[in-house]
Coordinates of all heavy atoms in Angstrom, one line a residue:
H1 N 7.4 -7.4 5.7 CA 7.5 -8.7 6.3 C 6.7 -8.8 7.5 O 6.7 -7.9 8.4 CB 9.0 -9.0 6.6 CG 9.2 -10.3 7.4 ND1 9.7 -10.3 8.7 CD2 8.9 -11.6 7.1 CE1 9.8 -11.5 9.1 NE2 9.3 -12.3 8.2
S2 N 5.9 -9.9 7.7 CA 5.1 -10.2 8.9 C 4.1 -9.1 9.1 O 3.2 -8.9 8.2 CB 6.1 -10.4 10.1 OG 5.4 -10.9 11.1
Q3 N 4.1 -8.3 10.2 CA 3.2 -7.2 10.3 C 3.4 -6.3 9.1 O 2.4 -5.8 8.5 CB 3.5 -6.4 11.6 CG 2.6 -5.2 11.7 CD 3.1 -4.1 12.7 OE1 4.1 -4.3 13.3 NE2 2.4 -3.0 12.8
G4 N 4.7 -6.1 8.7 CA 4.9 -5.3 7.5 C 4.4 -5.8 6.2 O 4.1 -5.1 5.3
G5 N 4.3 -7.2 6.1 CA 3.6 -7.8 5.0 C 2.2 -7.4 4.9 O 1.6 -7.1 3.9
H6 N 1.5 -7.4 6.1 CA 0.2 -6.9 6.2 C 0.1 -5.5 5.8 O -0.8 -5.0 5.0 CB -0.3 -7.1 7.6 CG -1.7 -6.7 8.0 ND1 -2.0 -5.4 8.5 CD2 -2.9 -7.3 7.8 CE1 -3.3 -5.3 8.7 NE2 -3.8 -6.4 8.3
A7 N 1.0 -4.7 6.3 CA 1.1 -3.2 6.0 C 1.3 -3.0 4.5 O 0.7 -2.1 3.9 CB 2.1 -2.5 6.8
A8 N 2.2 -3.8 3.9 CA 2.5 -3.6 2.5 C 1.2 -3.9 1.6 O 0.9 -3.2 0.7 CB 3.6 -4.6 2.0
L9 N 0.5 -5.0 1.9 CA -0.7 -5.3 1.2 C -1.8 -4.2 1.3 O -2.4 -3.8 0.4 CB -1.3 -6.6 1.6 CG -0.4 -7.9 1.3 CD1 -1.0 -9.1 2.0 CD2 -0.3 -8.1 -0.2
W10 N -1.9 -3.7 2.5 CA -2.8 -2.6 2.8 C -2.4 -1.3 2.1 O -3.2 -0.5 1.7 CB -3.1 -2.4 4.3 CG -4.2 -3.2 4.8 CD1 -4.1 -4.4 5.4 CD2 -5.6 -2.9 4.7 NE1 -5.4 -4.9 5.8 CE2 -6.3 -3.9 5.3 CE3 -6.3 -1.8 4.1 CZ2 -7.7 -4.0 5.4 CZ3 -7.7 -1.8 4.2 CH2 -8.4 -2.9 4.8
T11 N -1.1 -1.1 2.0 CA -0.6 0.1 1.3 C -1.0 0.0 -0.2 O -1.4 1.0 -0.8 CB 1.0 0.1 1.4 OG1 1.3 0.3 2.8 CG2 1.5 1.3 0.6
G12 N -0.9 -1.2 -0.8 CA -1.4 -1.4 -2.2 C -2.9 -1.1 -2.3 O -3.4 -0.6 -3.3
I13 N -3.7 -1.6 -1.3 CA -5.1 -1.4 -1.3 C -5.5 0.1 -1.2 O -6.3 0.6 -1.9 CB -5.8 -2.2 -0.1 CG1 -5.7 -3.7 -0.4 CG2 -7.2 -1.8 0.1 CD1 -6.0 -4.5 0.8
L14 N -4.8 0.8 -0.3 CA -5.2 2.2 0.1 C -4.7 3.2 -0.8 O -5.2 4.3 -0.9 CB -4.8 2.5 1.6 CG -5.5 3.6 2.2 CD1 -7.0 3.4 2.4 CD2 -4.8 3.9 3.6
A15 N -3.6 3.0 -1.5 CA -2.9 4.0 -2.3 C -3.8 4.8 -3.2 O -3.7 6.0 -3.3 CB -1.7 3.4 -3.0
P16 N -4.6 4.1 -4.0 CA -5.4 4.8 -5.0 C -6.4 5.8 -4.3 O -6.8 6.8 -4.9 CB -6.2 3.8 -5.8 CG -5.4 2.5 -5.6 CD -4.8 2.6 -4.2
I17 N -6.8 5.5 -3.1 CA -7.7 6.3 -2.4 C -7.0 7.4 -1.6 O -7.4 8.6 -1.6 CB -8.6 5.5 -1.4 CG1 -9.3 4.3 -2.2 CG2 -9.6 6.3 -0.6 CD1 -9.8 3.3 -1.3
Y18 N -6.0 7.1 -0.8 CA -5.3 8.0 0.1 C -4.2 8.8 -0.5 O -4.0 10.0 -0.2 CB -4.8 7.2 1.3 CG -4.1 8.1 2.4 CD1 -4.9 8.8 3.2 CD2 -2.7 8.1 2.5 CE1 -4.3 9.6 4.2 CE2 -2.1 8.9 3.5 CZ -2.9 9.6 4.3 OH -2.4 10.4 5.3
A19 N -3.5 8.2 -1.5 CA -2.4 8.9 -2.1 C -2.4 8.6 -3.6 O -1.4 8.0 -4.1 CB -1.1 8.5 -1.5
P20 N -3.4 9.1 -4.3 CA -3.5 8.7 -5.8 C -2.4 9.3 -6.6 O -2.2 8.8 -7.7 CB -4.9 9.3 -6.2 CG -5.1 10.4 -5.2 CD -4.5 9.9 -3.9
E21 N -1.7 10.3 -6.1 CA -0.6 10.9 -6.9 C 0.7 10.0 -6.9 O 1.6 10.2 -7.7 CB -0.2 12.3 -6.4 CG 0.7 12.3 -5.1 CD -0.1 12.0 -3.8 OE1 -1.3 11.6 -3.9 OE2 0.6 12.2 -2.8
L22 N 0.8 9.0 -6.0 CA 1.9 8.2 -5.9 C 1.8 7.0 -6.9 O 0.7 6.4 -7.0 CB 2.1 7.6 -4.5 CG 2.4 8.6 -3.4 CD1 2.6 7.9 -2.0 CD2 3.6 9.4 -3.7
K23 N 2.9 6.8 -7.6 CA 2.9 5.6 -8.5 C 3.6 4.4 -7.8 O 4.8 4.5 -7.6 CB 3.7 6.0 -9.8 CG 3.8 4.8 -10.7 CD 4.6 5.2 -12.0 CE 5.0 4.1 -12.9 NZ 3.9 3.2 -13.2
L24 N 2.8 3.4 -7.5 CA 3.4 2.2 -7.0 C 3.5 1.2 -8.1 O 2.6 1.0 -8.9 CB 2.5 1.6 -5.9 CG 2.2 2.5 -4.6 CD1 1.4 1.7 -3.6 CD2 3.5 3.0 -4.0
D25 N 4.7 0.5 -8.2 CA 5.0 -0.4 -9.3 C 4.8 -1.8 -8.8 O 4.9 -2.7 -9.7 CB 6.4 -0.2 -9.8 CG 6.5 1.2 -10.5 OD1 6.0 1.3 -11.6 OD2 7.0 2.1 -9.8
G26 N 4.7 -2.1 -7.5 CA 4.6 -3.5 -7.1 C 4.6 -3.5 -5.5 O 5.0 -2.6 -4.8
I27 N 4.0 -4.7 -5.0 CA 4.0 -4.9 -3.6 C 4.6 -6.3 -3.4 O 4.1 -7.3 -4.0 CB 2.5 -5.0 -3.1 CG1 1.8 -3.7 -3.4 CG2 2.5 -5.3 -1.6 CD1 2.3 -2.4 -2.7
S28 N 5.7 -6.4 -2.6 CA 6.2 -7.7 -2.2 C 6.0 -7.9 -0.7 O 6.6 -7.1 0.1 CB 7.7 -7.8 -2.6 OG 8.2 -9.1 -2.2

């Protein structure tokens, strides 16, 4: 939420590069 909403979107962007072993199923 808010700053965390920004962080959540960036988490979705960066995951394949920084933590490719993690399986993310969605970003809210």
Side-chain angles (χ1 to χ4, degrees):
H1 171 243
S2 194
Q3 178 197 359
H6 179 264
L9 294 171
W10 269 99
T11 298
I13 291 168
L14 197 66
I17 304 166
Y18 182 75
E21 80 282 7
L22 295 181
K23 174 179 170 54
L24 299 186
D25 295 281
I27 306 291
S28 181

